[in-house]
Amino acid sequence: MRHLHFFEVNVPIHHATDKTRHGLHVFTGHAASTWEALHIAHEVYDAAMAAQMAGLGVPERRRDGWGVSGLRPGWEPDWTAARAGLWKGWALANDVAL
């Protein structure tokens, strides 16, 4: 059995038409590595966006704890600037870029 840790993935976001508006979308869940955490966060985001674009509700949180809430229409993630690390409350440890 794989040993999983609880990760946080922080993805900078900006408004599609007003680049002065920016923020951060935070994903959390279990993964074996920072790379896997980044991959899963991107995967659940893509699934949520596809569901939203199809007029469906956002998928429920997965069994491994990953899910998406608070999608903001008109906001775009910058996955190249995403950072992942072990969950330490609101302090991110072990930064790893995508």
Side-chain angles (χ1 to χ4, degrees), residues 7-91:
F7 283 90
E8 170 183 346
V9 177
N10 292 323
V11 184
I13 58 174
H14 64 271
H15 194 270
T17 59
D18 182 357
K19 302 292 189 220
T20 64
R21 296 174 63 194
H22 52 87
L24 193 65
H25 200 106
V26 180
F27 300 84
T28 58
H30 290 93
S33 67
T34 51
W35 181 88
E36 185 178 55
L38 286 162
H39 178 78
I40 294 170
H42 204 308
E43 184 179 280
V44 297
Y45 174 83
D46 288 346
M49 288 302 294
Q52 189 176 56
M53 291 171 72
L56 304 172
V58 173
E60 296 290 323
R61 185 171 300 275
R62 296 173 9 161
R63 289 185 62 204
D64 57 8
W66 293 96
V68 177
S69 62
L71 284 179
R72 301 166 88 180
W75 289 76
E76 299 175 357
D78 180 359
W79 287 101
T80 63
R83 299 286 181 262
L86 295 174
W87 174 256
K88 301 280 189 196
W90 289 105

